[in-house]
Amino acid sequence: MTVLAPGLAPADDQELTGLLAASAAAEVPDGGAALLGWLADHDRHAAMTVHRADLAALEGWTDDPVGGRIHHRSGRFFAVEGLDVQVPGAPVEHWQQPIIRQPEVGVLGILATRIGGVLHLLMQAKVEPGNPVGHQLSPTVQATRSNYQRAHGGRAVPYLEYFLGTVPGARTVVDVRQSEQGSWFLRKRNRNVVVEVPGGPEAVPARPGFRWCTLAEVHRALAVTDVVNMDTRTVLSCLPLAGGALRPAGAGRPDDFRAALLRSMLGESGGVHRTADLLSDLTVARTETDVDVGRVPLHTLQGWSRRDGAIVHDDGAYFSVVGVDVVARGREVARWSQPMFAAHGTGLVAFVVRRIGGVLHVLAALRTEPGFVDAVELAPTVQCTPENYAHRPASQRPAYLDRVLAADPDRLRFDTVMSEEGGRFHHTRTRYVVVEETGDDPDLVTGPGHRWVTLAQLSELVRHSHYLNVQARSLLTCLHSLALCA
Amino acid sequence: MTVLAPGLAPADDQELTGLLAASAAAEVPDGGAALLGWLADHDRHAAMTVHRADLAALEGWTDDPVGGRIHHRSGRFFAVEGLDVQVPGAPVEHWQQPIIRQPEVGVLGILATRIGGVLHLLMQAKVEPGNPVGHQLSPTVQATRSNYQRAHGGRAVPYLEYFLGTVPGARTVVDVRQSEQGSWFLRKRNRNVVVEVPGGPEAVPARPGFRWCTLAEVHRALAVTDVVNMDTRTVLSCLPLAGGALRPAGAGRPDDFRAALLRSMLGESGGVHRTADLLSDLTVARTETDVDVGRVPLHTLQGWSRRDGAIVHDDGAYFSVVGVDVVARGREVARWSQPMFAAHGTGLVAFVVRRIGGVLHVLAALRTEPGFVDAVELAPTVQCTPENYAHRPASQRPAYLDRVLAADPDRLRFDTVMSEEGGRFHHTRTRYVVVEETGDDPDLVTGPGHRWVTLAQLSELVRHSHYLNVQARSLLTCLHSLALCA
């Protein structure tokens, strides 16, 4: 209940939540075909050619044998460095690996406006060198600081001004720094920001390559392989989609799963754990987990070698660091080279979910990754590359992995392969899965490293930095799409 | 409204909030004299003698001329190091200073239980070497990790087990890591934790030196100089004291100021800024503020010298690093030596507050301190040592300082001198002030570095790490005491 005093802003954002829920429940007339067609048009008219190149000979980059790192000659963008990691008490206590250091906080921003009373998001058709196929649905702005300060001498970033606070009348929907892959980035953070502007598309026209979409259209596209890019998924996960304003959208739903999901987002029914206990669990885990990371020269990394112009793991596992030469039409600059990380095998990221007391809960893991700013974040139930564990005994396989792989198809509530950020990761894809458990299997009792949490709790946490890792945020967006579609 | 499903915990902690509010509104029969008498008794029976000693000759400590730092020979506890600070764009862009490095996360814990239905807190009478006079009201447990892992070979820390998660049936009220003085500590954090145990004092008896107190008794003691210690103030600030459960406590209050304060804690009436905008302001400030800190040897610090066995600033300003020899009765060990920071002059920490739309707002500053984990936290309106600015022109004096110093006494809602943590700071005292502004003075329009926030917003933020600095948290506890007393 909001009892607003004159001149004061409301204590909560339920009006925004209602607007967002209505946009997510909007009809998608052609089942989303128009949006996919629009992306495909861009593939025809703005091609990008990517060729592998020797890491030691990338135009503009120094493969420094003394410092033992690969960095851009301008000192900007990012660097590939060697990392020594020690996590006393972890299953693997010590290892070394390459990692991307990108200390700048970039902007991942989506503009919103009302069209005919329905909130629309300004999405961009963007192709990145790492994309497995063509253009993907990207935020309005996706820019590192080097990028938008034009370190490469390219064109200005369109719409950037809305996210740098220079446009009056705009309303911030959300604005929070979030981590990215902590196994591949050292303490990287980006601002995840959504800004609503008044005046509709007349005030802010969509330039070529941009399109105003309802949240329903973007949510629908999540079901298609390689269409919604990682940056869109993480920004949308931060939308305020919890609380009572969701009620009308879910009225009279016949589907038990969706009703339980919506009840989980409403948040009124509580959950297995008090939020105070979840916060305490994170406090204790972060207090007790010592993650010691230190730089080592790339050429001395234990377990890694140079082969065919790339840095590869001696077991052929995990990922490689590769170089690429890129030629693009329709971007800020037409030609560049850069290092990229290329994962081996398709990743698996899954939330095991179940209804408890009629409320859908997801099983979140307390996970440590070397690049996290704060040691531990909430992560999906399972997050790994199954290939890396193919020949390991059951005791060495990640918890719940076999349960997810063996799940009956009729319990898969979401199952799409999507790619990770195409600006840094080369053909690096992940299968995103939501699998519902039923019955009272004792294996599903929470172990020390997992907690059953509601979607309302995840939405409360994701307003703040560093509680949910990027994979958990992607899945949160997928869950929202299941709950709110018409 | 809580619609609880069977087996689920409630979505909010309003039952706890109600319990805490009732404890804060409990009658204090003798006006608090018994509690003060109890503390004074301890002064008579457990004395501590503190003598100044040369930093270079402290028993157990190495004043390392090569590494340029002062550290304990065990490698534990803490170290005094030299810090080079660069904050491009700040009023002072570059300086050097000594700083305390204490990377361990300690425990500041208060036990709670119900006595006759009223929540009581287990407080400790504790004397610390830096205390200006005698014993202060301290949390149940106040322990560094070295401390409770018995690095000094002392006695076990009483009641510690309740905060390490080893006692079943306990309920976590709050558990969050918070920063401490970012000008004196490098990235120090302590767990602020309150745990409710069942069974009353029969189940958990108060040992000698401990006493079960209502929240009202502790709040009342805030009005007395040097009684409630810093650790108690910060832990209490994190209590969930917002929301509808406060309503009964405030029913029918005749006092306009208190009614506005309570409305601010209730949170239903909203505030000048949406919480989403406050979070965005912090995101932007943290993104744009580059705080570059690096270690330098103590003996090369620009602007600082050794004099009379201490490290002092060449202007005689700010603070000194001094050594002390301590002899104590009634503590874990009877005799030790240590370095301490000694501030010059009494600090001033003030919230300017005003009623806006009938809701009390406090003017919080977006403040950068070199030791913060995350560059910027919300701080009091004014936080400085006025002596350091005595002879500076108005343009160089902190914003709002003169307004607070000149405030009419009848607008001072809170005004007590209290001391900073006596384990690290020697006779370092701060005047804590809440001053109410009335009228529509244009000088009170928010500048770029300040925001008007409600107490409900502060309570929402303080559940999470690193939003409110330790001085703001102390003042939040003082404001709670004004709102909730009988």
Side-chain angles (χ1 to χ4, degrees), chain B residues 208-226:
Chain B
F210 293 82
R211 182 186 172 100
W212 288 106
C213 307
T214 61
L215 186 50
E217 289 178 281
V218 184
H219 277 168
R220 182 73 62 98
L222 285 165
V224 187
T225 302
D226 286 332

Side-chain angles (χ1 to χ4, degrees), chain A residues 1-11 13 16 105 145 171-173 175-177 189 191 247 267-277 279-281 283-284 286-288 290 356-359 361 374 460-461 463-467, chain B residues 1-11 13 16 105 145 171-173 175-177 189 191 247 267-277 279-281 283-284 286-288 290 356-359 361 374 460-461 463-467:
Chain A
M1 183 182 62
T2 297
V3 189
L4 199 60
L8 299 185
D13 278 328
L16 257 175
V105 176
R145 223 200 270 193
R171 167 163 75 160
T172 301
V173 178
D175 184 1
V176 57
R177 290 164 311 155
R189 305 189 276 194
R191 273 177 70 196
R247 200 184 312 270
E268 289 175 347
S269 308
V272 165
H273 300 292
R274 295 162 57 229
T275 303
D277 285 330
L279 291 172
S280 177
D281 290 340
T283 295
V284 170
R286 287 170 163 181
T287 299
E288 292 180 350
D290 295 314
I356 304 175
V359 177
H361 284 66
D374 204 357
E460 187 180 343
L461 294 179
R463 300 183 81 182
H464 307 284
S465 297
H466 312 147
Y467 279 122
Chain B
M1 185 181 58
T2 296
V3 189
L4 199 60
L8 299 186
D13 279 327
L16 258 175
V105 176
R145 223 200 270 192
R171 167 163 74 161
T172 301
V173 178
D175 184 1
V176 57
R177 291 164 311 154
R189 305 190 275 193
R191 272 176 71 197
R247 197 185 313 272
E268 289 175 346
S269 307
V272 164
H273 300 291
R274 295 162 57 231
T275 302
D277 285 330
L279 291 172
S280 177
D281 289 339
T283 295
V284 170
R286 287 170 163 180
T287 300
E288 291 180 351
D290 295 315
I356 305 175
V359 177
H361 283 66
D374 205 356
E460 187 181 345
L461 294 179
R463 301 183 81 182
H464 307 284
S465 298
H466 313 146
Y467 279 123

Side-chain angles (χ1 to χ4, degrees), chain B residues 178-460:
Chain B
Q178 297 288 6
S179 66
E180 297 192 3
Q181 285 82 355
S183 296
W184 296 333
F185 284 114
L186 186 61
R187 299 186 189 132
K188 186 184 177 193
R189 305 190 275 193
N190 272 324
R191 272 176 71 197
N192 286 235
V193 48
V194 179
V195 169
E196 186 197 359
V197 289
E202 295 73 32
V204 187
R207 300 161 65 124
F210 293 82
R211 182 186 172 100
W212 288 106
C213 307
T214 61
L215 186 50
E217 289 178 281
V218 184
H219 277 168
R220 182 73 62 98
L222 285 165
V224 187
T225 302
D226 286 332
V227 165
V228 178
N229 88 346
M230 184 190 93
D231 295 340
T232 299
R233 302 192 305 264
T234 168
V235 174
L236 295 185
S237 74
C238 301
L239 290 173
L241 284 172
L246 298 171
R247 197 185 313 272
R253 284 279 166 69
D255 177 336
D256 273 356
F257 175 76
R258 285 235 306 238
L261 194 45
L262 207 63
R263 221 173 280 126
S264 185
M265 292 169 69
L266 275 169
E268 289 175 346
S269 307
V272 164
H273 300 291
R274 295 162 57 231
T275 302
D277 285 330
L278 293 173
L279 291 172
S280 177
D281 289 339
L282 278 158
T283 295
V284 170
R286 287 170 163 180
T287 300
E288 291 180 351
T289 306
D290 295 315
V291 182
D292 238 337
V293 294
R295 258 195 70 194
V296 287
L298 272 180
H299 55 271
T300 69
L301 279 181
Q302 294 162 18
W304 300 80
S305 319
R306 289 278 178 137
R307 202 178 307 151
D308 303 328
I311 301 171
V312 297
H313 192 263
D314 295 345
D315 297 344
Y318 309 114
F319 62 90
S320 300
V321 186
V322 303
V324 293
D325 293 328
V326 186
V327 181
R329 273 189 300 144
R331 268 187 78 104
E332 306 96 272
V333 291
R335 186 181 293 272
W336 73 91
S337 300
Q338 67 172 89
M340 304 195 85
F341 276 33
H344 295 189
T346 300
L348 175 67
V349 152
F351 263 142
V352 169
V353 305
R354 68 188 305 188
R355 300 173 215 172
I356 305 175
V359 177
L360 200 81
H361 283 66
V362 308
L363 188 57
L366 296 160
R367 185 179 170 94
T368 298
E369 298 180 12
F372 284 162
V373 169
D374 205 356
V376 177
E377 298 191 6
L378 291 178
T381 322
V382 174
Q383 177 186 321
C384 69
T385 301
E387 277 184 30
N388 291 335
Y389 299 91
H391 306 295
R392 304 263 187 98
S395 66
Q396 289 177 24
R397 292 163 66 83
Y400 304 102
L401 170 60
D402 292 326
R403 177 178 287 269
V404 169
L405 292 177
D408 204 75
D410 70 3
R411 291 195 290 108
L412 298 180
R413 304 289 169 231
F414 188 92
D415 188 3
T416 308
V417 172
M418 295 188 276
S419 48
E420 303 306 306
E421 218 270 291
R424 297 289 173 270
F425 305 117
H426 188 262
H427 294 200
T428 292
R429 301 162 102 193
T430 306
R431 182 182 165 206
Y432 286 88
V433 172
V434 174
V435 52
E436 189 178 21
E437 290 285 350
T438 51
D440 296 316
D441 192 319
D443 282 0
L444 286 172
V445 170
T446 312
H450 288 82
R451 295 291 181 279
W452 289 106
V453 297
T454 66
L455 296 200
Q457 290 174 322
L458 292 179
S459 280
E460 187 181 345

Side-chain angles (χ1 to χ4, degrees), chain A residues 31-241:
Chain A
L35 184 59
L36 297 178
W38 176 74
L39 281 174
D41 274 351
H42 283 82
D43 289 341
R44 279 188 291 279
H45 296 107
M48 177 174 279
T49 338
V50 179
H51 292 291
R52 287 281 294 271
D54 191 327
L55 269 180
L58 295 175
E59 177 71 32
W61 295 79
T62 301
D63 183 8
D64 177 3
V66 180
R69 60 201 290 267
I70 301 171
H71 61 91
H72 195 260
R73 284 195 196 132
S74 67
R76 308 186 79 163
F77 302 109
F78 64 96
V80 179
E81 299 184 347
L83 197 74
D84 181 271
V85 186
Q86 301 206 48
V87 190
V92 180
E93 291 195 315
H94 178 236
W95 73 92
Q96 297 194 335
Q97 65 166 86
I99 201 147
I100 302 171
R101 181 189 288 266
Q102 184 172 340
E104 301 175 343
V105 176
V107 174
L108 306 178
I110 297 181
L111 268 191
T113 200
R114 278 178 244 197
I115 305 177
V118 178
L119 208 63
H120 282 63
L121 309 173
L122 188 58
M123 304 307 297
Q124 185 183 175
K126 193 172 175 83
V127 61
E128 298 273 11
N131 287 6
V133 283
H135 286 70
Q136 297 193 2
L137 213 51
S138 306
T140 319
V141 166
Q142 185 176 312
T144 61
R145 223 200 270 193
S146 292
N147 199 210
Y148 67 75
Q149 292 174 344
R150 304 206 219 169
H152 49 37
R155 292 197 290 269
V157 178
Y159 305 107
L160 179 67
E161 62 274 21
Y162 291 97
F163 304 101
L164 300 183
T166 51
V167 177
R171 167 163 75 160
T172 301
V173 178
V174 68
D175 184 1
V176 57
R177 290 164 311 155
Q178 298 288 6
S179 66
E180 297 191 3
Q181 286 82 352
S183 296
W184 296 332
F185 284 114
L186 186 61
R187 298 184 191 134
K188 185 185 178 192
R189 305 189 276 194
N190 272 325
R191 273 177 70 196
N192 285 236
V193 48
V194 179
V195 169
E196 186 196 0
V197 289
E202 295 73 31
V204 185
R207 301 160 64 122
F210 293 83
R211 181 185 172 100
W212 288 105
C213 306
T214 61
L215 186 50
E217 287 179 281
V218 183
H219 276 168
R220 181 73 63 99
L222 286 165
V224 187
T225 302
D226 287 331
V227 165
V228 179
N229 86 346
M230 184 190 93
D231 295 341
T232 299
R233 302 192 304 266
T234 169
V235 174
L236 295 185
S237 75
C238 302
L239 290 173
L241 284 172

Side-chain angles (χ1 to χ4, degrees), chain A residues 333-382:
Chain A
V333 291
R335 185 181 294 270
W336 73 92
S337 300
Q338 66 171 92
M340 304 195 85
F341 277 33
H344 294 189
T346 300
L348 174 68
V349 153
F351 262 143
V352 169
V353 305
R354 67 187 307 188
R355 300 171 214 174
I356 304 175
V359 177
L360 200 81
H361 284 66
V362 309
L363 188 57
L366 295 160
R367 186 179 169 94
T368 298
E369 298 180 10
F372 283 162
V373 169
D374 204 357
V376 177
E377 297 191 8
L378 291 178
T381 321
V382 173

Side-chain angles (χ1 to χ4, degrees), chain B residues 117-160:
Chain B
V118 178
L119 207 62
H120 282 63
L121 308 172
L122 188 57
M123 304 307 297
Q124 186 183 174
K126 194 174 173 85
V127 61
E128 298 271 14
N131 287 6
V133 283
H135 286 69
Q136 296 193 2
L137 212 51
S138 307
T140 318
V141 165
Q142 185 175 312
T144 62
R145 223 200 270 192
S146 292
N147 199 209
Y148 66 76
Q149 292 174 344
R150 305 207 220 166
H152 49 37
R155 292 196 290 269
V157 178
Y159 305 107
L160 179 66

